[in-house]
């Protein structure tokens, strides 16, 4: 799973000690300090978490922090649909690394002001099991050591959980896993070792996911992309095979790597009214996925670390703030939209803008498909994607994830190169693919995919406002265009758009 290499160039591991070869300067090894709380009314929940009830609600079971394992024991001995109230103080589990709370269906956990469930770097998981409709509110969960790709809260991806006004911080692995119909609201997902949340379910798909009003900051403290080069296994939040998600009103900032990353057969996303800023990598990656609305987001100062790092190495690929990789609209897959609609966003002083990309060598049953074993949602039997059938309809179209039906309109793109501290390669919009070469039985060799994504798959920029010295890349990385070429034949992009090159810096 994941983008192991997002384009065809072979590259050394990303170096955070940056040089000045592109006119960009940075302190070696340095990361920006977390961004100050913005003036806009977004989620600032980490600095000012909401306080839980100071007294136990009527009928609640009181949990004593002085008794190790009290929460797990009382959960085990109580019937389902029980409310537990955790007194102020540091609550502990038994010292065994697998000790955890196993809720029953409908259980509710409420933290008093100052209630903390602390794994003490001994316990792997805080809450697990398969019980549905569990609620956790007003609790801090910290110090757990989940393994790579596993999570601390809702470890087993049970369905219907509600996580509200909860702080999940300073854990290894993912702070939180996700199940179907999960709601994560007004919570702080901070400084976790891999992900703030890993929306992954081993059996079945996640649907009806709501992520609203959260602060997601400083995650991937373990810097996993450097430890496992190209693993595609990090982000503020990573989504896998989620069918229907609303991601709105969140403040996603200062994560090491990507802010939000939807990877492999996600569908029907609405990503709106978020503030995505100062993430080391892209603000948003939508990869091998379908049908999304991305609107009314403020996206600023993203991709300064990773974009600059690739540029310093001489990599010509246009790494952007919003990256669509083999993702597009597909009317045959049911969703609230049949395209990827990107509109009324403000992108300001990011390392580049929006890139639409297809890897010509990545398709079902190809050795170059890094989402190993997965096929598109249009083909249930991956083995059908082989010669000779793949060379003809319908498999020729259905065996590959396509970047198609992307509509980019009414956005405001602002670039001040002096603010980004860059002399080049930070100023691009792009729609492109590589020259297909692999495997030898691939029907997509040569420029077929590059021609399709650029001119035949209904990808369109229109009615946008550009402030600053923007450039454009079409077909392949070697074709850098000015405004007139981008709008002219054969590309005919950005009809109705406004270009004010001097105003952005």
């Amino acid at each position: 799973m994941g983008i192991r290499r997002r384009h065809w160039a072979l590259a050394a591991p990303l170096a955070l000690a940056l040089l000045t070869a592109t006119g960009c300067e940075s302190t070696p090894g340095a990361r920006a300090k977390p961004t100050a709380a913005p003036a806009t009314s977004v989620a600032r929940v980490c600095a000012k978490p909401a306080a839980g009830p100071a007294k136990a609600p009527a009928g609640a079971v009181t949990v004593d922090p002085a008794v190790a394992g009290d929460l797990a024991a009382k959960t085990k001995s109580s019937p389902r649909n029980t409310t537990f109230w955790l007194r102020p103080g540091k609550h502990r589990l038994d010292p065994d690394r697998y000790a955890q709370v196993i809720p029953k269906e409908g259980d509710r956990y409420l933290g008093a002001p100052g209630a903390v469930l602390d794994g003490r770097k001994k316990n792997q998981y805080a809450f697990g099991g398969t019980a549905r409709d569990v609620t956790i509110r007003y609790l801090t969960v910290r110090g757990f050591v989940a393994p790579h790709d596993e999570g601390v809260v809702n470890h087993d991806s049970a369905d219907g959980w509600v996580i509200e006004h909860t702080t999940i911080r300073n854990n290894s692995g993912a702070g939180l896993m996700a199940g179907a119909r999960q709601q994560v609201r007004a919570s702080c997902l901070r400084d976790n070792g891999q992900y703030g949340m890993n929306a992954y379910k081993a059996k079945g798909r996640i649907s009806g996911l709501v992520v609203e009003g959260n602060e997601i900051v400083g995650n991937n403290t373990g810097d996993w992309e450097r430890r496992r080069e190209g693993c595609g296994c990090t982000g503020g939040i990573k989504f896998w095979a989620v069918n229907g998600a609303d991601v709105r009103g969140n403040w996603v900032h200062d994560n090491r790597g990507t802010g939000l990353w939807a990877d492999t057969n996600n569908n029907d996303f609405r990503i709106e009214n978020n503030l995505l800023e100062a993430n080391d990598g892209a603000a948003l990656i939508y990869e091998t996925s379908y049908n999304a609305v991305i609107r009314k987001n403020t996206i600023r100062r993203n991709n300064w670390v990773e974009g600059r790092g690739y540029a310093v190495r001489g990599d010509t690929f246009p790494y952007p703030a919003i990256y669509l990789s083999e993702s597009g609209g597909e009317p045959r897959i049911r969703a609230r939209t049949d395209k990827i609609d990107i509109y009324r966003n403000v992108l300001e002083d990011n390392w580049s803008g929006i890139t639409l990309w297809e890897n010509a060598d990545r398709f079902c049953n190809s050795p170059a498909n890094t989402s190993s074993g997965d096929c598109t949602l249009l083909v249930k039997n991956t083995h059908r994607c082989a010669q000779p059938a793949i060379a003809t309809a319908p498999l020729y179209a259905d065996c590959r994830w396509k970047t198609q039906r992307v509509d980019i309109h009414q956005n405001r793109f602002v670039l001040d190169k002096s603010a980004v501290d860059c002399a080049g390669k930070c100023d691009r919009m792009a729609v492109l693919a590589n020259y297909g070469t692999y495997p030898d039985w691939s029907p997509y060799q040569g420029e077929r995919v590059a021609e399709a994504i650029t001119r035949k798959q209904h990808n369109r920029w229109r009615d946008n406002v550009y402030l600053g010295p923007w450039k454009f890349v079409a077909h392949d990385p070697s074709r850098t265009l000015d405004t007139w070429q981008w709008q002219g034949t054969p590309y005919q992009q950005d009809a109705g758009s406004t270009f004010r090159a001097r105003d952005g810096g």
Side-chain angles (χ1 to χ4, degrees), residues 5 7 9-11 309-319 425 428:
R5 181 57 55 202
H7 63 106
L10 297 177
Y310 282 114
V312 164
R313 291 209 305 262
D315 194 327
T316 61
F317 189 81
Y319 290 98
K425 298 184 181 179
R428 295 176 290 176

Side-chain angles (χ1 to χ4, degrees), residues 242 244-247 262 266-272 284-287 289-295 297 322 324 327-331 333-343 345 404-409:
V242 174
D246 291 295
V247 183
N266 297 278
N267 175 51
D268 194 15
F269 271 53
R270 285 189 176 177
I271 302 170
E272 56 190 357
L284 170 64
I285 297 177
Y286 206 69
E287 177 191 0
S289 294
Y290 304 90
N291 301 325
V293 174
I294 302 167
R295 65 184 177 190
N297 301 285
I322 297 179
L324 270 58
S327 292
E330 177 49 75
I333 297 173
R334 188 173 181 178
R336 291 167 287 183
T337 182
D338 61 1
K339 61 183 178 179
I340 293 185
D341 202 4
I342 304 175
Y343 68 96
N345 302 284
Q404 64 178 6
R405 299 173 61 85
V406 180
D407 193 6
I408 302 169
H409 60 104

Side-chain angles (χ1 to χ4, degrees), residues 62-79:
T62 298
V63 182
D64 188 351
V67 180
D70 196 40
L71 179 59
K74 287 179 175 174
T75 297
K76 185 176 181 179
S77 63
S78 299

Side-chain angles (χ1 to χ4, degrees), residues 34-47:
T35 305
T40 53
S41 57
V42 297
R44 310 182 195 189
V45 293
C46 292

Side-chain angles (χ1 to χ4, degrees), residues 248-268:
R248 57 181 176 247
N250 302 285
W251 185 20
V252 184
H253 65 104
D254 296 283
N255 293 284
R256 174 173 278 148
T258 303
L260 302 174
W261 190 341
D263 184 356
T264 309
N265 287 339
N266 297 278
N267 175 51
D268 194 15

Side-chain angles (χ1 to χ4, degrees), residues 3 103 156 209 217 271 278 293 321 405 432 442 470 492 498:
I3 298 178
D156 298 294
L209 179 63
V217 53
I271 302 170
V293 174
R405 299 173 61 85
L432 74 167
S442 168
W470 289 94
Q492 297 182 325
T498 300

Side-chain angles (χ1 to χ4, degrees), residues 5 44 56 63 93 112 259 305 378 384 394 396 398 421 448:
R5 181 57 55 202
R44 310 182 195 189
V63 182
L93 301 175
V305 173
L378 301 173
R384 294 178 61 206
Y396 180 84
D398 292 352
D421 191 17
R448 292 179 179 89

